[in-house]
Amino acid sequence: ERIRLGAYAKFNLSLNLLPERGERGYHPVRFLNTQIDLADTVELVRLPDPVFTGNIGRVDGEENIAIRAAHLMFERHSLPGGLSVTIEKIIPPRSGLGGGSADAAAVINGVNELFSLSLSPGEKVGLGKTLGMDVCYCVIGGLSLVEGIGDVVTPLSLPLPELNLLIAVPGTKKQSTAWAYSILNER
């Protein structure tokens, strides 16, 4: 039993950080996100033994968010056996396009389908929240309003015109989201 899924890059059409902080110290957000045609391919294969293997490109092993998503799904739902995760990486790493989050979301959605779990969108967002806020959006995808700390995802049925995008990824290391928030906090 295997499944192949596209793990589509996310693109922020708007990004608003609200000034008041929540009880956990995070700024509330209001994003308008959509998926773009740029995608990794994620293949999942059920294994009879409780083993998790991966051929994931640049980030291998237990540190990879897709492998962490597989562990989470198996632990939360007491699933038998294990999983082989193969990812053909197309989305540039650390580009702000949510490649790792999209891969983790594809694992959540794929395991949901492989094991006929019938998880609701809210349940999948809840699982994504334990891995990272971009995963919350990526398990839903499409054109969506993202609010809260990134964990409230509302799909929108608005028609989005075709957009031609040129996405430039710096050749040097991109600054982290934590760095960007720290600059915001200094002001």
Side-chain angles (χ1 to χ4, degrees), residues 128-162:
K129 186 175 178 179
T130 66
L131 297 165
M133 291 307 130
D134 280 347
V135 181
C136 297
Y137 162 72
C138 291
V139 294
I140 303 299
L143 178 64
S144 295
L145 177 65
V146 180
E147 298 176 290
I149 57 172
D151 60 336
V152 179
V153 182
T154 307
L156 302 174
S157 58
L158 303 170
L160 187 64
E162 185 173 319

Side-chain angles (χ1 to χ4, degrees), residues 48-115:
D49 298 317
V51 166
F52 296 86
T53 66
N55 180 359
I56 302 183
R58 296 185 179 140
V59 182
D60 254 342
E62 300 299 315
E63 294 160 20
N64 186 283
I65 191 170
I67 295 293
R68 291 187 0 237
H71 279 290
L72 177 66
M73 291 295 287
F74 275 70
E75 290 167 7
R76 289 276 175 95
H77 300 287
S78 302
L79 299 175
L83 196 67
S84 169
V85 179
T86 303
I87 300 175
E88 180 186 342
K89 289 298 292 174
I90 302 296
I91 302 169
R94 300 191 55 79
S95 62
L97 297 172
S101 296
D103 297 342
V107 169
I108 290 171
N109 288 328
V111 170
N112 181 51
E113 190 172 329
L114 273 176
F115 287 86

Side-chain angles (χ1 to χ4, degrees), residues 9 13 24 29 34 45-47 68-69 73 88 104 110 129 146 160 167 180 183:
L13 294 169
R24 292 177 47 196
V29 300
T34 192
V45 179
R46 287 178 68 167
L47 300 174
R68 291 187 0 237
M73 291 295 287
E88 180 186 342
K129 186 175 178 179
V146 180
L160 187 64
I167 300 171
I183 297 299

Side-chain angles (χ1 to χ4, degrees), residues 169-173:
V169 178
T172 59
K173 185 176 175 184

